[in-house]
Amino acid sequence: MRRTGREMGVPELEPEVFDRAIVSVALTSGPEHRLVYYNDAFHDLFGPRPLGVPAGEVFDEPHESPYLDLLDVVYTDKAPRQVITPRTTRGSTPGAPGRRHFVYSLSPVVSRHGPGVLTVAIDTTAHIEAAERAEELSEERHQALQRYEALMSAVSQIVWLMRPDGAITELVGGFEEFTGLPWRSRIDEVWLESVHPHDRAGLLQTFQEAATGPPTMFVCTFRMRTATGAYRRVQSRAVPVVRDGETVEWIGTTSDVEDQWRNRLRERLLARVATVTAAQDVAQAFAATASAVVPELTDACVVFLLPDVGLPPGPGGAATATRIAATARAGLPDLPPLNDQSYQVGPVIQQVIESRRPRLVTFPSGEPPPGIVPDASTAWLRKVRATSLTIVPIVIDAAVVAFAVAAACADSPPPGPADLALLGEILHEVRDPLRQALELQRTRHTALTLQRALLTPTPRVPGAELAAHYQPASKTAEIGGDWYDALLLPDGSVALTIGDIAGHDLEAATSMSQLRSMLRVIAYDQVHPGTPADSLARLDRVADGLGIAPLVTAVHAQLTPGPGGGWHAAWSNAGHPPPLLLPVSGAPRFLQGEGPDLPLCVDPALPRATWHHELRLGDTLLLYTDGLIEVPGTDLTEGMAHLAAHAEEAQSDGVTLAALCARLLAAADSRRDDAAVIGFRPTAQGRVWEGMWA
């Protein structure tokens, strides 16, 4: 079945209407552009051409290749093109009148031959030769020629003439059918009211720019209200008619380009939402989703996250939701800040969640009904004179995990059915990356919960101050395998451990819990006492044999009280950053020994070394993970120098050990990796400090 011009978004005609036209007209059909028609004027200008033959064979002159390329473009994208730079025939075709000048246009059409391209050519030879001879054409012929040159899109739906003061003098085509408005006597006054409120200023500005100074072609795409009340995008193209250096009128065409525009918008939005990836955290993924539909489909979009499926509802059986992402188009006031606070949804949202169907809520400008969104958002909607809310559920694996609320603002009319359908399609397209982002968040939350459960407060140690802090990675990263441990042994000594397991996921956190527990048992076993190197060696053999982790770095230390309030520190380093010593007097230094041994789970057969140092009253020993010293793009030694400087500054301020650890973690707050630090400081005999973590 042959598709109509309306279905394809192009004019429909039969070429014989141009038989007696004074301009040259030819029609090609299909992707091969077979020549199916030309009129007498075309024959007079270009000579006889064979019908039924592809254009590449009909117009086989070398200089015709741009014309053939333009045929392909117009046939493919269904948009008219015009060439207003004069072209010249070569005068070599038998039966042609010789060397002639012309301009032409190409327009997509549908005829009984199917979809094709209409070529309209204007013979400008007389005009050009007259200009060269400095002779003027007659006023009537000159005006007709300019109008033909301006009307390059030949068969657009609506053709109009307008005086410089904006008065419409001629209007033909389907204007009344399209808008439902009679044009005569009132169109000059009311036609702008049919233009979408958000497009009026841009339309007038574009025309003003075309009319200012030397007049140029005016091209603008905008939304116009149709007879049904819905808006469709149209494109107006016009050129000035200039006589004696003065613009006397504008001649233009207006075409319905809604289908073409919407197809291109759909492709553009789908490409934009394709940037939403599982590498982003949930908030970032939803923020990218909201940004993808603003401002093309809505003025503002807010996404609310629902609790995990299976969690109990809020009071009264209603769900609770948290505003997780929000964006608005330029020119609107700032949206209320995200505050991670939940609110109990009202019956409208509850119905959307239960039915899993979108819903459009319309209301008078600036009078949104209460209870649909939080009070702060409702106040913002009043401020921006919102007229409608579109609530779209975001369904993943048959469950509503979130919903988006799109707002039409600044007295904008509510979205039409096509906008609602496209908005739902775009939000549906991001379900896979959103699913992955949600799964990663759940995994991260589980790992963090496990990690925090294991990182218990440090024990009370008579004669020493002991503190530890842990900070998870930023939201854009996954949870890691950093851990610390402090264990008071039966003989009064203290075992300290800091470690980092390769990987940043739940598996790493699980491996960390296993290694921490095994090292605790090994260190606490006083029946078979050993040095820190012995303890790490035993742990290495077990971890490697059981395949617990691929790679582990750690510092394991044993601190034994000595005479005079001092403590003896013995430690072994398995590929970890060296301990940092802050002497009670003197500059900070790292306890390097002769360098660290290999990490665990590399080669358990290799020997490990134990190093020793005497801690005086007031000395501070810090064990830390590389999250405290790693800065992308810099050397580790630079990060170690920064750590030592921060630690020395905090120490000089006389802060407690817990405050010192907190300050070191705060200095690394912007880094992506997780970080842990544990500190030990000998104090006066019997003084006790409570450890903590955060």
Side-chain angles (χ1 to χ4, degrees):
M1 175 181 287
R2 180 172 70 86
R3 296 181 64 188
T4 66
R6 180 176 295 274
E7 292 173 334
M8 299 184 64
V10 301
E12 185 168 357
L13 54 79
E14 294 304 331
E16 286 74 16
V17 299
F18 298 106
D19 284 349
R20 302 175 61 84
I22 64 173
V23 293
S24 302
V25 176
L27 177 66
T28 60
S29 176
E32 294 182 342
H33 313 299
R34 294 184 179 274
L35 184 64
V36 295
Y37 169 84
Y38 61 85
N39 63 1
D40 292 341
F42 189 92
H43 177 280
D44 294 341
L45 181 59
F46 297 103
R49 304 284 173 156
L51 294 174
V53 178
E57 301 176 22
V58 175
F59 305 100
D60 56 356
E61 299 94 330
H63 63 279
E64 297 297 348
S65 58
Y67 169 68
L68 299 176
D69 293 339
L70 203 55
L71 279 173
D72 288 333
V73 173
V74 173
Y75 183 84
T76 300
D77 68 7
K78 304 295 186 296
R81 299 293 194 279
Q82 53 188 335
V83 178
I84 59 176
T85 302
R87 304 293 303 277
T88 304
T89 64
R90 296 297 186 263
S92 59
T93 302
R99 184 179 177 87
R100 307 292 288 175
H101 304 289
F102 65 96
V103 294
Y104 68 94
S105 73
L106 301 178
S107 301
V109 296
V110 170
S111 71
R112 65 176 180 275
H113 303 283
V117 177
L118 187 74
T119 299
V120 178
I122 309 296
D123 187 347
T124 60
T125 305
H127 175 66
I128 292 177
E129 290 178 351
E132 292 173 349
R133 297 191 307 267
E135 295 179 359
E136 294 184 357
L137 296 171
S138 69
E139 185 65 19
E140 181 180 355
R141 182 172 177 78
H142 182 68
Q143 181 176 350
L145 175 63
Q146 287 187 309
R147 287 184 176 180
Y148 276 122
E149 290 177 341
L151 198 57
M152 288 292 98
S153 52
V155 288
S156 297
Q157 287 185 335
I158 302 171
V159 181
W160 45 269
L161 292 176
M162 184 177 71
R163 293 201 305 261
D165 63 1
I168 304 294
T169 59
E170 292 290 340
L171 185 64
V172 297
F175 179 83
E176 294 185 11
E177 293 81 0
F178 186 81
T179 64
L181 296 174
W183 79 270
R184 289 197 176 276
S185 75
R186 296 186 63 238
I187 188 61
D188 299 340
E189 303 172 4
V190 302
W191 76 270
L192 195 60
E193 296 179 5
S194 296
V195 177
H196 194 286
H198 292 177
D199 296 346
R200 292 171 190 167
L203 172 63
L204 295 175
Q205 180 180 353
T206 303
F207 183 78
Q208 186 64 34
E209 291 173 351
T212 302
T216 58
M217 177 180 289
F218 161 75
V219 179
C220 185
T221 300
F222 54 94
R223 287 166 286 184
M224 180 169 281
R225 188 172 56 245
T226 67
T228 65
Y231 283 88
R232 289 183 70 84
R233 282 165 179 81
V234 300
Q235 184 179 82
S236 286
R237 304 167 65 88
V239 293
V241 177
V242 180
R243 289 197 295 273
D244 298 329
E246 182 178 352
T247 301
V248 297
E249 64 183 348
W250 289 80
I251 181 168
T253 64
T254 299
S255 303
D256 184 346
V257 296
E258 176 69 21
D259 295 337
Q260 301 171 37
W261 182 91
R262 189 161 297 279
N263 287 336
R264 292 171 183 171
L265 173 65
R266 180 179 179 275
E267 293 174 0
R268 188 165 65 251
L269 293 183
L270 289 177
R272 190 181 299 174
V273 299
T275 63
V276 181
T277 66
Q280 299 167 309
D281 73 352
V282 172
Q284 286 181 323
F286 279 113
T289 301
S291 298
V293 298
V294 175
E296 284 86 351
L297 288 180
T298 185
D299 294 320
C301 184
V302 182
V303 179
F304 294 84
L305 186 65
L306 294 170
D308 285 346
V309 177
L311 292 182
T320 58
T322 303
R323 195 159 52 100
I324 193 172
T327 187
R329 66 172 172 83
L332 294 178
D334 292 337
L335 287 160
L338 303 175
N339 53 19
D340 295 329
Q341 291 184 353
S342 298
Y343 85 107
Q344 186 171 331
V345 304
V348 173
I349 301 295
Q350 191 69 35
Q351 184 183 30
V352 170
I353 295 172
E354 293 173 355
S355 67
R356 301 179 189 173
R357 294 181 178 276
R359 179 168 177 181
L360 174 64
V361 180
T362 60
F363 41 85
S365 176
E367 301 180 21
I372 295 181
V373 293
D375 293 342
S377 298
T378 303
W380 185 85
L381 292 171
R382 295 193 189 101
K383 184 177 181 180
V384 298
R385 307 190 313 278
T387 58
S388 69
L389 294 176
T390 304
I391 304 131
V392 181
I394 299 176
V395 182
I396 297 178
D397 296 333
V400 179
V401 301
F403 59 90
V405 180
C409 305
D411 300 325
S412 177
D419 291 324
L420 295 177
L422 184 55
L423 178 63
E425 180 183 0
I426 296 304
L427 293 177
H428 182 70
E429 281 297 318
V430 295
R431 65 191 185 282
D432 288 339
L434 289 179
R435 177 193 296 111
Q436 296 176 46
L438 287 168
E439 290 175 351
L440 285 175
Q441 175 176 273
R442 295 188 188 103
T443 300
R444 183 179 186 274
H445 178 73
T446 302
L448 181 57
T449 301
L450 173 61
Q451 200 157 21
R452 287 194 179 278
L454 293 170
L455 301 179
T456 53
T458 54
R460 297 172 179 270
V461 179
E465 189 178 357
L466 186 59
H469 275 254
Y470 169 75
Q471 178 173 281
S474 64
K475 290 184 178 181
T476 56
E478 300 165 340
I479 196 65
D482 286 14
W483 94 92
Y484 66 79
D485 194 15
L487 185 63
L488 186 60
L489 302 178
D491 62 0
S493 62
V494 178
L496 297 184
T497 307
I498 196 88
D500 188 0
I501 294 179
H504 292 79
D505 50 24
L506 181 59
E507 183 178 352
T510 304
S511 299
M512 175 269 290
S513 68
Q514 294 176 294
L515 290 173
R516 176 182 179 272
S517 298
M518 289 191 296
L519 187 56
R520 287 190 129 221
V521 172
I522 292 172
Y524 199 84
D525 183 11
Q526 298 291 303
V527 178
H528 303 285
T531 65
D534 295 334
S535 297
L536 285 184
R538 292 175 63 185
L539 179 66
D540 196 5
R541 290 191 294 271
V542 175
D544 182 71
L546 297 178
I548 293 177
L551 187 70
V552 183
T553 67
V555 171
H556 179 60
Q558 184 169 343
L559 303 163
T560 306
W567 288 69
H568 176 79
W571 73 93
S572 182
N573 188 340
H576 202 78
L580 173 61
L581 176 66
L582 302 175
V584 68
S585 61
R589 68 178 186 273
F590 291 95
L591 303 180
Q592 304 271 16
E594 294 183 4
D597 298 326
L598 286 176
L600 305 179
C601 306
V602 175
D603 188 350
L606 291 178
R608 298 190 173 276
T610 297
W611 307 97
H612 302 270
H613 185 81
E614 298 297 331
L615 299 178
R616 298 172 297 169
L617 279 173
D619 285 353
T620 300
L621 181 68
L622 295 174
L623 310 183
Y624 54 92
T625 59
D626 56 10
L628 236 59
I629 59 173
E630 275 190 343
V631 178
T634 63
D635 188 81
L636 276 183
T637 55
E638 185 176 339
M640 292 169 65
H642 285 305
L643 174 63
H646 285 302
E648 184 177 25
E649 180 182 0
Q651 176 108 320
S652 65
D653 291 340
V655 299
T656 65
L657 186 57
L660 186 150
C661 292
R663 283 175 61 167
L664 296 181
L665 266 296
D669 186 53
S670 61
R671 298 170 189 171
R672 293 178 56 88
D673 202 3
D674 52 346
V677 60
I678 186 167
F680 183 88
R681 178 185 292 167
T683 62
Q685 187 68 28
R687 187 179 180 187
V688 178
W689 288 88
E690 183 75 43
M692 64 177 291
W693 57 273

